[in-house]
Amino acid sequence: MIEIDKLTKTYGETRAVDAVSMTVETGTITAIVGTSGSGKTTLLRMINRLVEPTSGEVRINGEPTHAQKPHILRRRIGYAIQGHGLFPHHSVARNIAAVPELLGWPKDKTAARVDELLTLFGMEPADFRERFPAELSGGQQQRVGVARALASRPDLLLMDEPFGALDPIIRTRAQADLKDIQRKLGSTIMLVTHDMDEAISLGDRVAVMDGGKLVQYGPPDEIVASPATRFVADMVGDAERPMRLLSLIPAADLAEDGTAEGSPLPAGASLREALSACLWSGREAVPVEREGQPAGQVTLAAIRARAERHA
């Protein structure tokens, strides 16, 4: 558990972060979203003491971070940034092994961890170990950057706009990869983004920053359905709110008896995906399956009715 208690950072008369308090549960993804200058990156960097707080405290599993030497603390916290920050003259394997080597892991344990992570990220170890960053695509570099941050099994992974440099198609795949890896490893992740869609898609909880203050903190559906301030409402976008809520609701929640034609959607697909499937194919309903077995259908009328409730 990560506890942030009245964390504040001032620069002269400016409060970059103003008495922020929040609790991040173990094994969850928290997305911190806000416009440029809202304090989100400063907040993130105070957690691993790349920026020293003016006042307030961060506790990781009950232990105050100020009670540890910064370089020791950072070995417990993974950190991934936009552009990945890979060492260009080191191989993929050496990049991923950087922190385990600093911690004095045995070579065989380090090598096994490198191969484990490459496999987890869908990169065949024999094909990628000895490649250099310049030989990788943007998406592959991003995966290696996250693998490096996870290599020492940190208590917490901090990510600062990790997908900002990727094109939209690769970015969507990278986001899906991250959610999949997080579920498999049970990692605790705090991620900064300026993109509300990304925050809603990735976060188990979303923290909205404005002018250094935490203006709302809660599950994505709560942020979208009940914005606490005009600023949050503007970030969500009034026109986009129904579609964003549909993206948070599994299609299976609206499944009803019936045998619609066409390729079935998995039960975990969202109502937004079901709507797209209906509109793309011109159908009034799409079938849904759960674990390979038919689970009914979702109708266009039901999707529209759900969206209208939040319009």
Side-chain angles (χ1 to χ4, degrees):
M1 178 184 292
I2 316 302
E3 298 168 283
I4 298 172
D5 187 7
K6 297 180 181 177
L7 204 60
T8 298
K9 181 63 181 180
T10 60
Y11 295 99
E13 298 298 315
T14 302
R15 283 182 171 252
V17 175
D18 190 357
V20 169
S21 295
M22 59 193 292
T23 298
V24 175
E25 298 294 336
T26 300
T28 63
I29 299 178
T30 295
I32 306 170
V33 64
T35 55
S36 178
S38 62
K40 57 189 186 297
T41 292
T42 302
L43 174 64
L44 195 78
R45 289 165 67 89
M46 283 194 286
I47 294 170
N48 65 358
R49 293 180 61 190
L50 285 172
V51 171
E52 291 290 352
T54 303
S55 62
E57 184 175 80
V58 178
R59 296 181 293 276
I60 299 178
N61 297 328
E63 184 178 0
T65 57
H66 64 72
Q68 305 169 62
K69 292 181 179 179
H71 70 282
I72 300 297
L73 171 70
R74 289 175 201 140
R75 292 176 185 175
R76 295 177 52 196
I77 301 175
Y79 190 54
I81 60 175
Q82 181 174 325
H84 327 302
L86 299 178
F87 304 125
H89 303 302
H90 286 184
S91 67
V92 165
R94 285 196 65 192
N95 266 284
I96 296 174
V99 175
E101 287 178 354
L102 280 174
L103 295 175
W105 284 24
K107 288 185 177 181
D108 58 345
K109 181 181 177 183
T110 299
R113 181 61 170 163
V114 168
D115 284 2
E116 176 189 3
L117 286 166
L118 284 173
T119 301
L120 196 61
F121 279 89
M123 302 171 74
E124 176 58 42
D127 293 337
F128 285 94
R129 278 191 216 104
E130 301 308 317
R131 292 194 194 181
F132 288 85
E135 300 174 281
L136 306 177
S137 68
Q140 289 167 342
Q141 289 181 26
Q142 186 271 339
R143 293 184 192 185
V144 173
V146 177
R148 182 178 64 181
L150 291 169
S152 63
R153 296 186 172 88
D155 298 323
L156 172 65
L157 174 59
L158 305 179
M159 307 184 77
D160 191 0
E161 298 275 8
F163 310 124
L166 303 180
D167 70 53
I169 294 175
I170 296 175
R171 182 173 182 154
T172 300
R173 172 65 188 275
Q175 292 168 355
D177 282 347
L178 180 66
K179 290 184 75 169
D180 186 49
I181 296 303
Q182 189 270 340
R183 284 193 295 266
K184 289 177 179 175
L185 299 181
S187 306
T188 305
I189 297 174
M190 296 184 70
L191 177 145
V192 158
T193 179
H194 66 276
D195 184 336
M196 182 59 85
D197 279 330
E198 184 165 88
I200 290 168
S201 172
L202 287 175
D204 295 299
R205 292 176 73 85
V206 175
V208 186
M209 298 280 293
D210 181 27
K213 295 182 179 293
L214 179 64
V215 293
Q216 191 167 2
Y217 181 46
D221 56 348
E222 178 183 301
I223 300 292
V224 175
S226 304
T229 68
R230 183 68 252 174
F231 175 80
V232 179
D234 289 343
M235 286 288 292
V236 170
D238 289 335
E240 293 87 356
R241 184 175 299 146
M243 294 299 289
R244 284 182 166 146
L245 281 166
L246 289 181
S247 73
L248 298 170
I249 302 170
D253 286 7
L254 236 62
E256 56 190 64
D257 290 342
T259 54
E261 296 182 356
S263 300
L265 292 174
S270 70
L271 287 182
R272 187 170 184 169
E273 292 172 291
L275 175 62
S276 295
C278 285
L279 297 177
W280 180 259
S281 63
R283 288 177 285 167
E284 293 298 315
V286 291
V288 178
E289 65 178 9
R290 183 182 284 107
E291 297 179 354
Q293 299 300 315
Q297 65 179 10
V298 177
T299 67
L300 184 57
I303 298 169
R304 284 174 169 160
R306 176 60 67 92
E308 288 169 359
R309 285 167 49 185
H310 303 287

